[in-house]
Amino acid sequence: MGSASSTLTQYDIEDVQEHCNNLFSQQEIISLYKRFCQLDRNAKGFISADEFLSVPEFAMNPLLLKMVDGLNFKDFVVFLSAFSPKASTTQKIELIFKVYDSDYNGKVTFRDIMEEVLIKVMEEAGYSKDSSLLLDDFVKILDHPGLKMEVEVPVD
């Protein structure tokens, strides 16, 4: 698996499969390798965050970009395995944790999460860090079908 232009051997495929906890079949790994080679425009053997931006699903989430900068193929597959339907909830949560563990110390502070989430929500709603919010703005940001503010009141 030296350069991105080389082909995968059966040993490489099995090694990558084991590295990603068998969340991808051998055929899926071959397909991912082809995609990796397309992203690795200069055949360096790794992809940069800029190259990863060409994947629309990931370009929409800049928080993930710091995690993908400089990934080799094996790490690329491991990263994508968290998005597999076969991945457990724990595996998906571990990826989210890594996104917020910006200094890679194994800890995420409440402030880190709240700042990142709030900034993202505000930006998606079209506001900048210098914006002020009126009640109508606040409603625009928070009014969506997933918002649940309900309390069940027991009736005797």
Side-chain angles (χ1 to χ4, degrees), residues 1-2 7-33 36 72-81:
M1 276 189 314
T7 58
L8 291 174
T9 66
Q10 182 64 33
Y11 173 80
D12 292 332
I13 294 169
E14 290 171 5
D15 184 44
V16 170
Q17 210 172 9
E18 185 179 319
H19 200 67
C20 73
N21 297 318
N22 295 305
L23 289 173
F24 293 116
S25 69
Q26 290 189 7
Q27 190 57 47
E28 288 170 322
I29 289 172
I30 292 168
S31 294
L32 287 171
Y33 186 71
F36 178 85
N72 63 26
F73 176 64
K74 191 185 281 191
D75 292 334
F76 172 76
V77 173
V78 169
F79 171 77
L80 291 179
S81 68

Side-chain angles (χ1 to χ4, degrees), residues 8-153:
L8 291 174
T9 66
Q10 182 64 33
Y11 173 80
D12 292 332
I13 294 169
E14 290 171 5
D15 184 44
V16 170
Q17 210 172 9
E18 185 179 319
H19 200 67
C20 73
N21 297 318
N22 295 305
L23 289 173
F24 293 116
S25 69
Q26 290 189 7
Q27 190 57 47
E28 288 170 322
I29 289 172
I30 292 168
S31 294
L32 287 171
Y33 186 71
K34 289 176 185 173
R35 183 65 174 137
F36 178 85
C37 291
Q38 291 170 345
L39 291 171
D40 182 16
R41 294 183 211 121
N42 298 322
K44 309 174 290 300
F46 62 90
I47 53 173
S48 67
D50 288 338
E51 290 168 326
F52 212 81
L53 279 171
S54 66
V55 179
E57 295 83 359
F58 293 110
M60 294 178 358
N61 193 336
L63 290 176
L64 292 174
L65 291 180
K66 70 177 181 127
M67 295 185 66
V68 299
D69 197 25
L71 289 182
N72 63 26
F73 176 64
K74 191 185 281 191
D75 292 334
F76 172 76
V77 173
V78 169
F79 171 77
L80 291 179
S81 68
F83 298 94
S84 166
K86 298 176 202 170
S88 69
T89 302
T90 300
Q91 289 167 309
K92 293 175 186 296
I93 291 170
E94 285 173 0
L95 175 70
I96 295 167
F97 182 87
K98 289 176 185 175
V99 167
Y100 289 107
D101 183 13
S102 57
D103 58 1
Y104 307 106
N105 68 352
K107 298 177 185 175
V108 175
T109 66
F110 185 75
R111 171 174 272 170
D112 291 338
I113 292 174
M114 292 311 297
E115 286 178 6
E116 291 288 341
V117 169
L118 186 56
I119 288 168
K120 183 71 176 151
V121 167
M122 297 285 288
E123 287 173 349
E124 285 180 2
Y127 298 96
S128 70
K129 291 180 182 178
D130 299 324
S131 297
S132 297
L133 299 179
L134 301 173
L135 177 58
D136 289 344
D137 300 316
F138 207 71
V139 169
K140 176 183 168 187
I141 293 169
L142 295 177
D143 187 21
H144 58 83
L147 180 65
K148 292 191 181 214
M149 292 183 69
E150 300 170 355
V151 173
E152 228 177 279
V153 178

